[in-house]
Amino acid sequence: MFALVAFWIGMSGHFEPLLLGLGVVSLVLTMILAYRLDILDREGAPYVRVIGFAMYFPWLMKEIVKANWTVIRACLRADLDIAPTLVKLKTICTSDLAKVTFANSITLTPGTVTVEIDGDKLLVHGLYEQDSQPEAFTEMDRRSARAIDGKGAAA
């Protein structure tokens, strides 16, 4: 919330006492309501995960590039040698945010799409059966859990 306040002040350039005072009243009222409604939790305030996600993002980009080469080669071949498959994965991610991050990471990687999330299980469609086995997603699962939940990984 404070990051948004700083961003607004920095971008608007309005430093009039009335606007700043109304902003403070609005901020305090919002914080009181959020506390009373019990909607403050780790997923509602993801700032604590910025460093973990910053470490995860470059690794994910590398995986996306590697998967792109596989899909590009499949598209350029004269014979279409794909073997599509659906596979169920069990994730170690505990929070909804970590599960969604893991599912979106799978979908961002070319050749795979997360079709469904049901509890701690994901249904994934893969372009190549040999590359879409549950073991192929273990590292991504571990890194997603570590980045978002802050656990589940040994360095």
Side-chain angles (χ1 to χ4, degrees), residues 71-114:
V71 173
I72 288 169
R73 275 184 284 168
C75 292
L76 294 178
R77 286 192 186 135
D79 61 333
L80 197 57
D81 66 343
I82 62 171
T85 187
L86 282 172
V87 64
K88 275 210 179 238
L89 308 174
K90 185 171 177 8
T91 181
I92 62 170
C93 298
T94 54
S95 69
D96 289 341
L97 182 60
K99 290 174 190 174
V100 168
T101 300
F102 178 43
N104 284 339
S105 297
I106 291 171
T107 301
L108 281 170
T109 308
T112 54
V113 175
T114 304

Side-chain angles (χ1 to χ4, degrees), residues 39-154:
I39 58 174
L40 296 176
D41 60 1
R42 275 184 59 85
E43 289 188 28
Y47 302 114
V48 296
R49 294 182 196 83
V50 170
I51 293 172
F53 189 72
M55 302 288 285
Y56 176 68
F57 190 71
W59 178 84
L60 179 61
M61 290 298 102
K62 182 184 72 147
E63 293 301 308
I64 290 172
V65 169
K66 284 182 0 187
N68 264 311
W69 283 113
T70 304
V71 173
I72 288 169
R73 275 184 284 168
C75 292
L76 294 178
R77 286 192 186 135
D79 61 333
L80 197 57
D81 66 343
I82 62 171
T85 187
L86 282 172
V87 64
K88 275 210 179 238
L89 308 174
K90 185 171 177 8
T91 181
I92 62 170
C93 298
T94 54
S95 69
D96 289 341
L97 182 60
K99 290 174 190 174
V100 168
T101 300
F102 178 43
N104 284 339
S105 297
I106 291 171
T107 301
L108 281 170
T109 308
T112 54
V113 175
T114 304
V115 178
E116 178 181 63
I117 303 175
D118 184 19
D120 64 346
K121 302 217 178 5
L122 283 75
L123 182 62
V124 176
H125 177 273
L127 197 58
Y128 289 103
E129 186 174 7
Q130 70 272 17
D131 294 339
S132 300
Q133 297 306 311
E135 307 82 46
F137 300 99
T138 304
E139 180 69 11
M140 186 179 287
D141 186 23
R142 185 181 67 78
R143 287 178 180 261
S144 296
R146 185 175 186 185
I148 305 303
D149 289 337
K151 59 185 174 208

